[in-house]
DNA sequence: CTTGAACCTCTAGCGGCTAGAGGATGTATC
DNA sequence: GATACATCCTCTAGCCGCTAGAGGTTCAAG
């Protein structure tokens, strides 16, 4: 029987976050002591590890919900899980491409700033005028 | 004299977002018509473009606040602006490194999923057991 | 003078947590 | 059995950077 604190340490998830996962139905309601404290078993530890690991790989909580569901039904065909992972991979690749463009632009800005007055600071100048950019870049929703 | 809608179109910023920027003090309070509608001038258009472009480069609103402030004072030394840009560059590079590790892992997952039942789906298996991962990866706060 | 697109304010919500107040419980030690 | 104190509990509110919608007003063209 594990306390929430132990679970927290074992998975690297904050206590508050575990309770939050319970609240949104990602983690099941655990057993309680007479005094009302949560007690977990190993199945729940595994589930939280799964969630945690999926988060580290960038899956959204909704995607994780689906993945957990699939994981709970070992006889279903697994192409759904595969599709979710492929979607995630695609997203990661898109984000990388965007970051690459940003890096180029930022490097150029920093490199060209000669250290004078802000009046002729290259960094600020570039920010003022997009047309100076060599690459297209659309971050914002990343 | 530009309406908020025109400003929106010219900069690619949503109307609601412009009002939000005003609310948090990033954009100045514009003039109003007798009926109470906002009217902007070109200085404000420039300012919003600056903000928008900075956002595209991934700067936080706080960083942008600083950059705008520096931009308003052309006689200050510009190493602060440079420092902000360098910080941002560093962050971008860190995020890219993390995404790279994630991509590797996701590729491996997807590649090894042979399309059977979820019971022996490689995707789910990897999520269940972090020790199968070849690389370290810590996303989450990205 | 009428239409209707664009404007206004206000509130609430998104994802994914995180922090803090204020109090109860559990366990180790005496 | 008493005491100390770490850990637990619930609840509310906040973070970032918007976004959406309700319900109402204003502006410009025809």
């Amino acid at each position: 029987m594990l306390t929430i604190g132990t679970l927290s340490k074992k998975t690297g998830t904050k206590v508050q976050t575990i309770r939050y996962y319970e609240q949104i139905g990602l983690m099941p309601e655990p057993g309680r002591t007479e005094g009302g404290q949560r007690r977990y078993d190993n199945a729940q530890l595994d589930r939280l590890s799964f969630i945690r690991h999926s988060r580290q790989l960038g899956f959204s909580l909704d995607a994780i919900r689906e993945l957990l569901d699939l994981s709970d039904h070992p006889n279903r065909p697994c192409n759904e899980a595969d599709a979710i992972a492929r979607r995630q991979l695609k997203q990661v690749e898109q984000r990388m491409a965007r970051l690459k463009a940003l890096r180029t632009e930022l490097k150029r800005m920093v490199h060209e700033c000669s250290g004078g007055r802000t009046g002729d600071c290259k960094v600020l100048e570039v920010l003022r005028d997009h047309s100076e950019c060599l690459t297209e870049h659309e971050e914002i929703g990343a």
Side-chain angles (χ1 to χ4, degrees), chain A residues 59 63 66 80 82-92:
Chain A
F59 290 96
E66 288 184 74
E80 268 187 74
D82 197 42
I84 295 170
R86 274 177 208 281
R87 225 189 296 142
Q88 181 63 17
L89 177 57
K90 210 171 173 183
Q91 266 183 35
V92 166

Side-chain angles (χ1 to χ4, degrees), chain A residues 56-121:
Chain A
Q56 284 177 341
L57 285 165
F59 290 96
S60 71
L61 294 184
D62 266 2
I64 294 172
R65 218 184 282 272
E66 288 184 74
L67 289 167
L68 278 168
D69 195 47
L70 293 168
S71 182
D72 287 343
H73 301 279
N75 284 327
R76 292 221 209 124
C78 80
N79 38 16
E80 268 187 74
D82 197 42
I84 295 170
R86 274 177 208 281
R87 225 189 296 142
Q88 181 63 17
L89 177 57
K90 210 171 173 183
Q91 266 183 35
V92 166
E93 280 174 345
Q94 279 170 359
R95 281 165 72 191
M96 280 192 71
R98 268 178 297 171
L99 284 180
K100 222 171 163 181
L102 296 186
R103 191 186 49 180
T104 307
E105 223 46 67
L106 285 168
K107 266 191 178 164
R108 212 166 57 85
M109 276 167 67
V110 165
H111 195 246
E112 289 184 9
C113 180
S114 49
R117 309 254 146 207
T118 53
D120 31 48
C121 175

Side-chain angles (χ1 to χ4, degrees), chain A residues 7 9 21 37 39 72-73 81 100 119 128-129 135 138:
Chain A
L7 211 64
K9 264 169 222 147
Y21 287 161
Q37 298 197 355
R39 289 298 119 101
D72 287 343
H73 301 279
K100 222 171 163 181
R128 258 175 233 130
D129 188 0
T135 51
E138 280 283 329

Side-chain angles (χ1 to χ4, degrees), chain A residues 125-138:
Chain A
E125 194 182 305
V126 169
L127 289 175
R128 258 175 233 130
D129 188 0
H130 190 138
S131 68
E132 292 192 26
C133 287
L134 300 177
T135 51
E136 277 318 302
H137 48 79
E138 280 283 329

